Amino acid sequence: MADLKREFFAMMAMESWLGTMIGVGAAVVFTMPAVAQSQPLFLAYPPQNHQTSSPTIFFIGSAAPNVTVTLNGQPIERSAQGNFAPVIPLKMGENQFVFQAESQRIERTITRIGTGPTLSPQGGFAAGSLTPAVPISRPAGEPICFTAIAPTDAMATVTLAGQTIPLTPQGNVVQLPPNNTILHGENQPQVTAADQYKGCQSFNVTNLPAQLGTPQFNLQWRGQNFSTPGPGSVTLLNGDRPQVIVVTSQTGVARTGPGTDYSRLTPLPQGSQASVTGQDGDWLRLDYGGWIKADETRTLPSQAPPRSLIRSVGYQVFGDRTEMRFPLQLPVPVTVHQTEMGLTLSLYNTTAQTDTIRLDNDPIIRNLTWQQISPDRIDYYFTFKTDQQWGYDLRYEGTTLILSLRHPPRISSQPGNLQGVKILLDPGHGGSEAGAVGPTGYAEKDINLLISQRLANRLKSQGANVHLTRTRDEFVSLVDRQTQIAQVQPAIALSIHYNALPDSGNPNETDGISTFWYNAQAADLANFLQRYLVENLGRNSHGVYWNNLALTRPTIAPAVLLELGFMISPQEFEWITNAQAQEQLVQALATGITTWLQQQR
């Protein structure tokens, strides 16, 4: 995945062996690293002094096919072209490795570090385990929970504002695996041999807001007493006079919890107003349930909870879209839930007085109904005349919410004719961001651009209007790529990538094509392209994934991210860099895209 490769290969971007790109018309010529050209042995990954929490590590490299390569004195297996990717277990701490081929020698020191809490043999709480870990604010009367990790036979309490809260053992600590472990089927929780202690208490005071101060964590263990202040303080909010904020960023990033590890919700359009019901550090909990960074908001002078009525709902048809208009008294938080059969728009802090909705014989909307789900939430249900949805956008104009629904693109009935159809291609990575790296040091950013440019030429020859997010080896931020999709408003957007694995993966047992989608409008395209490429190229399928990636999140068009093979696989890398295979891949991509689009007519 794009985010995974950014994490695991960022350190490689500055290495001189990544090579250079030379543009020659529509083609791209890669200059192989000098060390790989002149010497028999080359190691692409991992870098020297690499640290990992994985119990294993893989090495990616290459050497001339006619020489013997050893790792710590033992010969290693290689592909026909001399590529290798041995997987080696790691002990905790430093691990020394020596690669040798004839007179050439490469050394690597890999350090395995621990994960999760570490208990001291002398007792006490595990470092970094006390929560709240940041200053928090909660309404009076809401339970506030305190947690810590300590030895299994201890007794723990917290004192705060004159009260003592017992912390009871919850059993062994269960650590969830990172999301990226699904790529190689090892997404199983791990149990740590320590107890998590937890206790909750509500506080009621007469003067609000109230600074309760910093909790003191206390531990008794085997005749010893430990006491330490917590890292976060506690403040009680005045629920009768809430802080009211307005979203100032173009699209406020709302999440399920106070941190970037939590899942994204529907972005809040600029101007949305909500009450603050809690705060963790610089994250605000809003009254409808989502969390947002404080620096994406501005506090309003009003201390009245933002509430709105809604009456009639109208619409307006333009050439390429239908705009539904929801007049409100103020901009409220919203969410969108899209399925392959329809779309649900939820308005929060809103009460219906709706008796009239005008919707004539719209080009795409079959029906619109609504329901007051709770006193402060209304759901509007859209059903459509076609199975495929082509994108939507949300914005506020004053206090009116506008949901813009795109019409299907005009597609010729002539086979292979894409005249006038807009297609956006995004060559992943670029510039200082190399992406994954193959055994020879060939960077993913280069093959992404090569395939994207060739595919663009093929689609243009069929009449398509193709936009590339980059046309040379340059860094383009994820935000800039998303902005280009929003500005171009293509019929479809495809991000071109090649894959990698976390350190715990096995490149020798992992290959194949995979596709990623996020919004339901892209699901059919993702599944179709996956099936078409696998069947027509004779490649393995590495699966279709729902994934919250920057280049699958845009809602203005069906957006899919393609991982066309594993750069780190010694065998598949040879297919990736084969000129004839590249031409077959471009042909299959162009035909698959064309076939899917014409099926939508």
Side-chain angles (χ1 to χ4, degrees):
M1 294 183 294
D3 293 344
L4 172 68
K5 290 176 292 192
R6 186 171 294 105
E7 176 182 352
F8 281 92
F9 292 96
M11 287 182 292
M12 298 184 185
M14 302 305 294
E15 295 287 340
S16 61
W17 43 257
L18 283 181
T20 58
M21 290 290 295
I22 303 172
V24 183
V28 177
V29 179
F30 178 75
T31 302
M32 293 296 289
V35 66
Q37 289 177 324
S38 59
Q39 300 292 337
L41 181 62
F42 178 73
L43 193 60
Y45 183 83
Q48 178 64 297
N49 299 319
H50 180 62
Q51 293 187 346
T52 180
S53 60
S54 171
T56 60
I57 189 71
F58 57 78
F59 295 87
I60 309 169
S62 62
N66 59 342
V67 302
T68 299
V69 178
T70 62
L71 171 55
N72 289 351
Q74 299 297 318
I76 58 175
E77 294 184 4
R78 295 190 292 148
S79 70
Q81 294 181 10
N83 303 319
F84 57 80
V87 178
I88 307 297
L90 296 174
K91 61 180 177 64
M92 295 300 296
E94 288 191 356
N95 297 258
Q96 303 295 330
F97 299 97
V98 177
F99 287 83
Q100 193 134 9
E102 295 182 336
S103 61
Q104 194 172 16
R105 176 186 176 97
I106 298 178
E107 298 183 4
R108 286 289 185 269
T109 299
I110 310 299
T111 302
R112 181 182 172 189
I113 57 177
T115 60
T118 301
L119 290 170
S120 169
Q122 286 74 39
F125 295 106
S129 70
L130 305 182
T131 66
V134 295
I136 69 168
S137 300
R138 294 291 186 272
E142 178 178 316
I144 297 173
C145 294
F146 307 88
T147 64
I149 292 174
T152 57
D153 52 350
M155 292 183 60
T157 61
V158 164
T159 56
L160 179 65
Q163 299 191 42
T164 299
I165 303 105
L167 303 183
T168 57
Q170 307 295 302
N172 289 338
V173 179
V174 178
Q175 292 184 322
L176 294 177
N179 273 294
N180 58 36
T181 56
I182 192 66
L183 285 176
H184 53 105
E186 294 184 2
N187 60 323
Q188 298 299 317
Q190 295 182 353
V191 177
T192 301
D195 266 357
Q196 184 178 66
Y197 291 77
K198 183 176 183 179
C200 300
Q201 179 74 40
S202 60
F203 297 84
N204 291 285
V205 297
T206 56
N207 297 320
L208 292 171
Q211 301 284 343
L212 298 186
T214 300
Q216 190 77 13
F217 286 78
N218 312 296
L219 185 70
Q220 294 180 354
W221 180 69
R222 298 182 182 179
Q224 301 180 75
N225 294 319
F226 302 88
S227 184
T228 183
S233 59
V234 179
T235 301
L236 295 187
L237 299 173
N238 188 342
D240 295 331
R241 302 179 64 187
Q243 175 189 359
V244 179
I245 61 90
V246 59
V247 175
T248 55
S249 60
Q250 189 68 34
T251 51
V253 180
R255 292 185 180 272
T256 57
T260 55
D261 287 340
Y262 288 90
S263 300
R264 287 176 178 252
L265 300 172
T266 301
L268 294 176
Q270 188 177 51
S272 302
Q273 297 180 24
S275 299
V276 175
T277 64
Q279 184 166 358
D280 281 25
D282 54 358
W283 287 85
L284 305 178
R285 185 180 67 185
L286 305 183
D287 51 17
Y288 83 108
W291 291 77
I292 189 171
K293 288 286 290 292
D295 61 9
E296 294 192 59
T297 71
R298 175 172 52 87
T299 298
L300 296 175
S302 171
Q303 292 184 321
R307 297 291 184 269
S308 179
L309 300 174
I310 186 168
R311 292 176 180 163
S312 61
V313 175
Y315 84 110
Q316 188 172 0
V317 178
F318 297 90
D320 60 348
R321 67 193 186 280
T322 295
E323 289 192 348
M324 299 300 306
R325 307 179 72 87
F326 301 85
L328 298 158
Q329 293 171 303
L330 53 83
V332 300
V334 298
T335 60
V336 171
H337 176 63
Q338 187 185 52
T339 69
E340 293 186 19
M341 304 302 295
L343 182 147
T344 300
L345 171 68
S346 298
L347 306 184
Y348 296 87
N349 303 333
T350 306
T351 302
Q353 293 182 346
T354 301
D355 289 328
T356 305
I357 296 176
R358 178 174 180 178
L359 187 64
D360 300 336
N361 185 22
D362 185 75
I364 58 171
I365 302 173
R366 182 182 302 279
N367 198 6
L368 170 61
T369 60
W370 67 271
Q371 182 179 6
Q372 187 86 39
I373 298 298
S374 65
D376 59 356
R377 172 183 161 186
I378 303 172
D379 281 359
Y380 290 90
Y381 306 103
F382 290 83
T383 56
F384 298 102
K385 294 181 177 179
T386 61
D387 292 337
Q388 179 61 42
Q389 297 173 55
W390 293 94
Y392 69 87
D393 183 46
L394 275 176
R395 70 184 189 277
Y396 274 109
E397 288 186 358
T399 63
T400 297
L401 178 68
I402 298 177
L403 172 64
S404 181
L405 300 165
R406 296 185 65 201
H407 296 171
R410 296 177 180 176
I411 302 172
S412 171
S413 60
Q414 298 177 357
N417 188 343
L418 295 179
Q419 189 66 42
V421 178
K422 286 185 185 178
I423 298 174
L424 182 139
L425 300 179
D426 170 54
H429 307 288
S432 61
E433 192 177 86
V437 179
T440 65
Y442 188 12
E444 180 204 349
K445 64 175 182 176
D446 301 332
I447 186 67
N448 290 343
L449 183 59
L450 173 66
I451 296 301
S452 297
Q453 288 181 324
R454 291 182 179 176
L455 177 59
N457 289 339
R458 184 67 58 92
L459 294 172
K460 287 177 182 177
S461 71
Q462 298 174 228
N465 180 1
V466 183
H467 177 86
L468 287 163
T469 59
R470 67 180 179 98
T471 57
R472 60 183 185 272
D473 183 21
E474 63 177 338
F475 174 79
V476 181
S477 72
L478 295 177
V479 172
D480 285 344
R481 295 170 197 258
Q482 291 175 319
T483 299
Q484 290 186 57
I485 295 175
Q487 292 174 341
V488 173
Q489 298 191 8
I492 60 173
L494 301 178
S495 190
I496 305 298
H497 285 260
Y498 286 80
N499 222 334
L501 287 172
D503 284 343
S504 55
N506 188 336
N508 301 294
E509 298 177 356
T510 310
D511 64 0
I513 294 169
S514 51
T515 59
F516 298 80
W517 62 276
Y518 180 68
N519 296 301
Q521 63 194 15
D524 187 72
L525 174 60
N527 280 282
F528 180 88
L529 289 179
Q530 176 75 9
R531 185 170 59 252
Y532 191 91
L533 294 176
V534 166
E535 292 177 356
N536 286 273
L537 295 172
R539 307 304 299 173
N540 287 335
S541 173
H542 194 65
V544 178
Y545 299 84
W546 177 91
N547 205 334
N548 184 0
L549 299 171
L551 274 304
T552 60
R553 280 197 299 270
T555 62
I556 200 65
V560 168
L561 187 144
L562 292 162
E563 297 279 5
L564 297 171
F566 280 82
M567 294 287 288
I568 62 176
S569 166
Q571 291 75 27
E572 190 157 54
F573 180 73
E574 296 178 6
W575 174 79
I576 291 171
T577 54
N578 180 276
Q580 182 178 357
Q582 291 171 355
E583 183 59 29
Q584 293 170 345
L585 171 62
V586 170
Q587 176 64 50
L589 281 167
T591 306
I593 292 166
T594 304
T595 302
W596 184 83
L597 285 169
Q598 294 201 314
Q599 284 180 357
Q600 307 313 310
R601 293 189 68 255

